[in-house]
């Protein structure tokens, strides 16, 4: 495994990780719920809790808004009256909220260790090297539009914003990539090669006009001819949760349920998305299953907490199973526990900010441009 040191910008926005005090460790479920409700009541309108669909049940039940990355970014940008935005999700989501928030607001992430392994696969210095090496390979970088998945650091978003690029989420990737193709000759899509490949293919880019840029190889592992031929350059990053789903699992499901349908998140591999019946973001998955006819059977290729919740919500009218029989859990989303949430809320009641996310101003300026460009695309 590659190990890299954090840049100064990353260190600043990650902040100092404070350990959870012992007094928050041995609380019964009932006591936890009562105390969380009491803290929420005390903070009232001063607080808004945002929860991503992959959060555990014990946490998401306290969220004022739930959603996918796009919906939550819009909620953060809506600039409500709340003074504190507590983000039950992962680090890049809280950073995006801090970039989009109103001046009077503060963003907190209950556990600073709730990161995203995919976002960590693209560092700002690697992107600078990529840009330099592409130029040396004879690619006109001024005609590349960089598109970063929202699952990336604020520093990556800032680089992208400064170079005429834009952020996308899994909900709007096709619209955003079309926007980018109208403005440039080729796209660099990072950090998720799978979202990039799946969406690019949907937009009609043939696979032989895509090339994978490996940040750990000289010249990304490409020849000048490879780089110049590519309309879509795909950063070699992936989601360790969604790449666990396989075509064999789809075949096994179809054998058992010939009438069943498979719905996959576009962070899954190209083969899985091609073999599935439908692919889309978490919000798309929820919407599709809720609208599906009674009696239908679905295998879902996304994080297990969302699948379990849909299973319970829609039973017994529909049969919903996880495509991976063992279930795929995002261990960093899981780090946000009710205990951490309570500690952060108690801190706010007492006037102490635990785990505030602060993106440095210079980074924020360019990253906001890339996020604002995305929010304007419908
Ligand atoms: P969406 O919620 O945008 O579908 O993304 C899934 C994800 O992996 C978030 O990290
Ligand atoms: Fe990152 Fe994948 Fe977890 Fe989403 S599911 S937060 S992309 S590791």
């Amino acid at each position: 495994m590659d190990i890299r040191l954090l840049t100064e910008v990353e260190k600043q926005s990650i902040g100092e990780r404070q350990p959870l005090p012992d007094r928050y460790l041995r609380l019964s479920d009932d006591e936890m719920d009562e105390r969380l409700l009491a803290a929420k009541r005390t903070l009232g309108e001063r607080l808004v809790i945002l929860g991503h669909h992959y959060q555990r049940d014990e946490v998401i039940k306290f969220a004022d808004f739930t959603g996918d990355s796009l919906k939550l970014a819009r909620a953060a940008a809506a600039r409500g009256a709340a003074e504190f935005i507590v983000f039950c999700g992962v680090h890049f989501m809280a950073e995006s909220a801090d970039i989009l928030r109103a001046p009077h607001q503060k963003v907190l992430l209950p556990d600073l260790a709730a990161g995203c392994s995919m976002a960590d696969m693209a560092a700002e210095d690697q992107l600078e090297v990529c840009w330099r090496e592409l130029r040396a390979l004879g690619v006109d970088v001024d005609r590349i539009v960089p598109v970063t998945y929202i699952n990336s650091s604020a520093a990556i978003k800032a680089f992208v914003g400064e170079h005429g690029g834009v952020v996308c989420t899994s909900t709007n990737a096709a619209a955003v990539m079309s926007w980018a193709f109208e403005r440039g000759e080729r796209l660099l899509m990072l950090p998720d090669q799978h979202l990039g490949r799946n969406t690019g293919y949907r937009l009609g880019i043939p696979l032989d006009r895509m090339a994978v840029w490996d940040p750990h190889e000289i010249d990304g592992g490409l020849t000048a001819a490879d780089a110049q031929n590519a309309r879509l350059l795909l950063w070699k990053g992936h989601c360790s949760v969604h790449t666990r789903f396989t075509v064999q699992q789809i075949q096994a499901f179809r054998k058992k349920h010939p009438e069943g349908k498979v719905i996959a998140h576009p962070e899954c591999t190209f083969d899985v998305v091609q073999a599935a019946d439908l692919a889309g973001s978490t919000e798309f998955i929820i919407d599709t299953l809720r609208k599906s006819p009674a009696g239908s059977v679905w295998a879902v290729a996304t994080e297990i907490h969302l699948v379990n919740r849909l299973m319970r919500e829609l039973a017994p009218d529909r049969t919903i199973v996880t495509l991976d029989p063992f279930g795929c859990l995002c261990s960093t989303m899981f780090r946000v526990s009710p205990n951490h949430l309570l500690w952060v809320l108690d801190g706010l009641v007492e006037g102490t900010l635990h785990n505030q996310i602060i993106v440095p101003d210079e980074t924020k300026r360019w990253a906001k441009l890339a996020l604002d460009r995305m929010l304007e695309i419908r």
Side-chain angles (χ1 to χ4, degrees):
M1 196 168 107
D2 293 298
I3 297 180
R4 68 171 184 85
L5 298 176
L6 295 177
T7 64
E8 281 312 307
V9 168
E10 285 169 330
K11 274 190 223 156
Q12 279 182 55
S13 68
I14 287 173
E16 220 29 71
R17 188 173 175 233
Q18 295 164 274
L20 185 70
D22 282 354
R23 63 183 186 281
Y24 287 96
L25 290 180
R26 280 168 288 277
L27 300 174
S28 71
D29 292 352
D30 286 348
E31 193 182 349
M32 186 84 71
D33 283 3
E34 274 166 33
R35 288 185 54 182
L36 276 162
L37 280 176
K40 273 195 81 173
R41 252 195 317 271
T42 307
L43 290 162
E45 300 280 289
R46 296 175 67 206
L47 167 74
V48 63
I49 301 181
L50 306 182
H52 187 271
H53 293 308
Y54 294 162
Q55 291 289 296
R56 21 169 144 173
D57 294 348
E58 314 90 89
V59 169
I60 205 133
K61 67 183 176 187
F62 293 103
D64 300 298
F65 290 102
T66 61
D68 66 354
S69 312
L70 181 63
K71 216 167 151 182
L72 295 177
R74 286 199 190 282
R79 309 186 170 192
E83 193 182 329
F84 307 114
I85 301 174
V86 173
F87 213 121
C88 296
V90 288
H91 191 262
F92 71 81
M93 296 180 178
E95 268 190 340
S96 297
D98 187 55
I99 294 164
L100 295 168
R101 68 173 168 79
H104 68 280
Q105 295 180 309
K106 293 181 173 51
V107 178
L108 296 97
L109 179 66
D111 186 348
L112 288 181
C116 164
S117 53
M118 179 205 284
D120 291 343
M121 289 175 194
E124 190 192 3
D125 54 343
Q126 292 174 320
L127 184 51
E128 277 161 10
V129 170
C130 165
W131 218 244
R132 269 204 310 274
E133 291 185 342
L134 280 170
R135 188 180 282 125
L137 288 170
V139 175
D140 181 356
V141 288
D142 294 333
R143 300 184 66 193
I144 298 181
V145 181
V147 178
T148 186
Y149 194 18
I150 196 163
N151 300 32
S152 56
S153 68
I156 292 285
K157 291 184 180 82
F159 180 99
V160 166
E162 199 174 351
H163 291 79
V166 59
V167 175
C168 76
T169 72
S170 50
T171 289
N172 62 18
V176 170
M177 283 171 75
S178 303
W179 176 96
F181 272 123
E182 283 162 20
R183 283 158 182 80
E185 175 180 81
R186 61 187 103 227
L187 262 57
L188 170 66
M189 169 77 196
L190 71 161
D192 188 11
Q193 59 168 308
H194 302 293
L195 177 70
R197 188 178 293 108
N198 289 322
T199 314
Y201 191 76
R202 222 180 102 192
L203 293 177
I205 313 287
L207 293 179
D208 63 7
R209 299 298 303 277
M210 302 183 197
V212 175
W213 180 272
D214 183 344
H216 301 290
E217 295 281 343
I218 305 284
D219 292 341
L222 299 181
T223 63
D226 294 333
Q228 289 168 24
N229 173 57
R231 288 205 64 214
L232 182 54
L233 289 154
L234 303 167
W235 192 268
K236 195 174 179 187
H238 65 272
C239 165
S240 48
V241 179
H242 288 93
T243 49
R244 283 186 46 195
F245 297 104
T246 64
V247 172
Q248 288 73 23
Q249 291 164 351
I250 297 185
Q251 288 161 346
F253 169 76
R254 294 207 193 282
K255 213 165 162 189
K256 204 162 161 199
H257 301 281
E259 77 293 3
K261 286 202 159 44
V262 178
I263 188 164
H265 195 280
E267 288 172 14
C268 294
T269 63
F270 182 72
D271 292 352
V272 166
V273 167
Q274 288 302 303
D277 297 282
L278 293 165
S281 65
T282 50
E283 206 66 33
F284 172 82
I285 293 172
I286 296 169
D287 198 48
T288 306
L289 296 196
R290 284 190 181 146
K291 288 181 181 150
S292 67
S296 54
V297 180
W298 293 89
V300 187
T302 197
E303 209 272 345
I304 191 67
H305 287 89
L306 174 59
V307 182
N308 283 341
R309 217 169 285 132
L310 284 166
M311 212 184 274
R312 282 196 306 272
E313 179 192 322
L314 300 174
D317 286 356
R318 288 93 157 168
T319 305
I320 292 167
V321 297
T322 161
L323 182 62
D324 180 331
F326 298 104
C328 290
L329 174 124
C330 176
S331 56
T332 47
M333 284 274 181
F334 193 70
R335 292 202 76 106
V336 177
S337 65
N339 315 54
H340 283 89
L341 180 59
L342 180 59
W343 172 54
V344 165
L345 296 196
D346 278 355
L348 294 179
V349 170
E350 290 154 14
T352 311
L353 291 172
H354 299 304
N355 296 353
Q356 186 183 357
I357 300 294
I358 304 173
V359 178
D361 284 344
E362 182 58 14
T363 309
K364 196 176 263 188
R365 183 159 74 96
W366 290 111
K368 185 166 183 327
L369 185 64
L371 278 161
D372 283 344
R373 286 187 185 127
M374 171 186 84
L375 293 173
E376 278 161 23
I377 300 170
R378 289 284 167 177

